Amino acid sequence: VRAAALLEKSGEACKFKLIGDGAERGRIEALAQQLGVRAMEFLDAQSPEVLAETLRSADVCLGIFGETGKAGRVVPNKVYEAMAAGRPVITGDSPAAREFLKDGEDCLLCERGNPEALAKSIRTLRGDPTLARKLAEGGRRSFEEKASPRVIGGWLKDRLCSKEGWHGHVA
């Protein structure tokens, strides 16, 4: 919300779609109203089909930017979904993100809790379509190599079958 406000104040407004009805939604809507941010659209939870279409139509998808311990330990599902959809991603720099992502190759990482850093990353992608395309392609490739259902399923099957008594029959 604060990054959106900075972009609006500098005449570089973007349209932001925030989807879902999580625990923080009321606080986020109130902050947008308090800061007078007009470029934010708040949508309720969407069906998987509508959410997929929304992702595919986005110029960029945003990940997680909080400074909590949990925010440093996770790569949220929405990041994987955006990468699978072949969209460029900006997300907060964290140990979890660095374990899976490569800044400048399959995403842009920016300092968490820093609206100026997020606004700068959005400006960077807005002004460099070649970089945005590179990140989208790199993100899709990273998803396929590291996090696709085929890869995760294979990893799980290997772990299950390595346990005594398992014979490789996993349904």
Side-chain angles (χ1 to χ4, degrees):
V1 174
R2 293 183 194 286
L6 289 170
L7 291 166
E8 279 188 15
K9 286 179 185 172
S10 67
E12 304 169 279
C14 300
K15 183 175 182 181
F16 291 84
K17 287 186 180 182
L18 282 77
I19 302 171
D21 51 8
E24 295 292 312
R25 180 169 172 168
R27 186 183 65 78
I28 293 167
E29 281 189 78
L31 180 61
Q33 189 171 30
Q34 174 190 344
L35 296 177
V37 177
R38 295 174 307 281
M40 299 194 101
E41 181 180 0
F42 292 90
L43 302 171
D44 292 332
Q46 304 291 307
S47 70
E49 297 79 19
V50 171
L51 187 57
E53 182 56 38
T54 302
L55 280 174
R56 284 191 297 272
S57 69
D59 293 320
V60 64
C61 296
L62 303 179
I64 189 169
F65 301 95
E67 298 176 282
T68 65
K70 180 180 178 182
R73 293 188 306 271
V74 301
V75 175
N77 193 53
K78 62 183 171 178
V79 169
Y80 294 109
E81 290 172 345
M83 292 171 73
R87 305 314 307 143
V89 171
I90 302 171
T91 195
D93 194 353
S94 70
R98 292 225 175 236
E99 189 174 317
F100 175 64
L101 304 167
K102 288 191 170 55
D103 186 32
E105 292 183 28
D106 54 18
C107 72
L108 282 185
L109 297 177
C110 73
E111 183 182 350
R112 294 182 292 144
N114 183 338
E116 291 85 6
L118 177 54
K120 180 181 178 186
S121 293
I122 292 169
R123 284 184 189 108
T124 296
L125 284 187
R126 185 180 237 181
D128 191 343
T130 301
L131 176 60
R133 192 169 35 260
K134 173 188 171 186
L135 296 178
E137 291 168 0
R140 175 69 186 172
R141 192 170 36 258
S142 289
F143 174 81
E144 287 296 327
E145 293 171 359
K146 301 175 188 176
S148 67
R150 178 187 49 79
V151 170
I152 300 299
W155 177 88
L156 180 59
K157 180 182 176 197
D158 290 348
R159 296 315 174 277
L160 289 172
C161 292
S162 70
K163 301 296 180 194
E164 191 175 321
W166 286 81
H167 303 288
H169 303 292
V170 179

